[in-house]
Amino acid sequence: MNYFEEGFVWFNDPLNWTNPGGLLDRLGEHLVISFWAVLLGCAVGWPIGIWLGHRGRGGGAVITVANLTLAIPTLALLTILPLTPLGFGKPPVVVALAVFAVPPLLANAYTGLRSIDPETRDAARGMGLSGGQLLRQVELPLAAPYLAAGLRTAAVQVVATAALAAFVNGGGLGQIISAGFGIGMSNGGGGQIVAGGLAVALLALAVEGLLALVQRLVTPPALRVRRRRAQPAAAPAG
C-alpha cells in the first residue's frame, strides 16, 4: 500500500475525524485562524488602499509596501513573533498570516478605485456629491469587484499557508501533518501526512470557489457584460 492509499484509508476512518485533536477539531482551528488573519488584513489593507485610491496618490507607495510585505517569509515571522510578548499559540500565527494577507487587499483596493472612469467622478461631482458621498455611493460600489478579488486572493493564500501554524503550536490542519512526521513514515505516518495535505488543499479550493461566487455576485451586471465582450478582443494580443 502506497502513501496515497494510506491517506484515503486514514480519511475513511471515522475516529480520525471525531477524536479529540482529529480532523474536525483541526479544521475548526484552521478556519478560526484564517478568519481572524484575513479580518485583520482587511482592517489594515482596505482602509489604506481605499483612502489612497480615492485621493489618487500613493501608487508607488502601495507597490513598494506590497512588494516589501511579500518579500517577508511567513515562516520567518512565525519563528520571530512567538519570541515577542505575543508568545506561542494562535496570536502570532494570526499576525503573521495577516501580514501575508495585506498586499493583495491593499493593491486591489487601490487599483479598484483608480480604475474608475474619471468622467464618472466628474459627473458625480457635477451632481453636487461631496467627497465622502462620492466614495460611498459611486467609487466603492464600482470598486467592489476588485475588493472581492483581493479578498479572494488573500483568503486562499492564508488558508494554504496556515498549515505552518503547527511549527509554533498554533493548531490547524498542519498539526495533522506534523503528527504524521512524528509517527514516522514506516508506521503509518505517511498516510496521515498525505491526508493532512489533501485536507489543506481541498479547503483552499473550497474557499476559492466560494469567494469566486461572491466576486461574481458583487460585480455589477454591466461590468460582467463589458468583461465578456473584452475577452475575445484581448485573446489575439495574448
Side-chain angles (χ1 to χ4, degrees):
M1 184 179 297
N2 60 39
Y3 293 138
F4 287 97
E5 291 175 346
E6 291 178 2
F8 285 112
V9 171
W10 192 94
F11 262 126
N12 289 325
D13 187 347
L15 294 179
N16 290 329
W17 289 74
T18 58
N19 275 345
L23 190 58
L24 291 179
D25 285 349
R26 298 307 183 190
L27 176 61
E29 292 174 350
H30 202 101
L31 289 173
V32 168
I33 293 170
S34 301
F35 171 79
W36 286 111
V38 173
L39 184 64
L40 182 57
C42 289
V44 174
W46 273 353
I48 297 174
I50 290 171
W51 180 70
L52 292 175
H54 174 67
R55 291 176 58 86
R57 300 175 182 176
V62 170
I63 295 173
T64 301
V65 171
N67 289 338
L68 287 176
T69 309
L70 286 174
I72 301 174
T74 307
L75 187 57
L77 282 179
L78 287 172
T79 305
I80 296 171
L81 289 177
L83 304 178
T84 68
L86 290 174
F88 285 83
K90 293 181 176 58
V93 173
V94 170
V95 173
L97 293 175
V99 171
F100 192 51
V102 165
L105 293 165
L106 173 63
N108 277 273
Y110 178 83
T111 302
L113 268 76
R114 296 317 305 160
S115 65
I116 297 172
D117 190 342
E119 294 183 358
T120 303
R121 289 193 178 88
D122 293 340
R125 292 191 182 99
M127 295 173 62
L129 269 64
S130 65
Q133 290 173 327
L134 173 66
L135 176 63
R136 293 191 301 272
Q137 299 178 22
V138 178
E139 291 180 328
L140 284 179
L142 291 177
Y146 290 87
L147 296 176
L151 176 62
R152 174 182 172 185
T153 302
V156 173
Q157 289 179 347
V158 166
V159 166
T161 310
L164 297 176
F167 283 99
V168 291
N169 197 29
L173 293 171
Q175 294 286 160
I176 294 175
I177 301 173
S178 178
F181 280 109
I183 294 172
M185 302 294 285
S186 60
N187 295 323
Q192 184 167 332
I193 294 169
V194 171
L198 285 175
V200 174
L202 291 173
L203 180 59
L205 289 173
V207 171
E208 164 74 15
L210 177 63
L211 293 181
L213 177 61
V214 171
Q215 181 180 350
R216 177 175 175 79
L217 291 176
V218 300
T219 301
L223 292 181
R224 296 182 203 167
V225 173
R226 186 184 305 172
R227 288 179 181 178
R228 283 199 297 266
R229 290 176 177 175
Q231 285 175 355

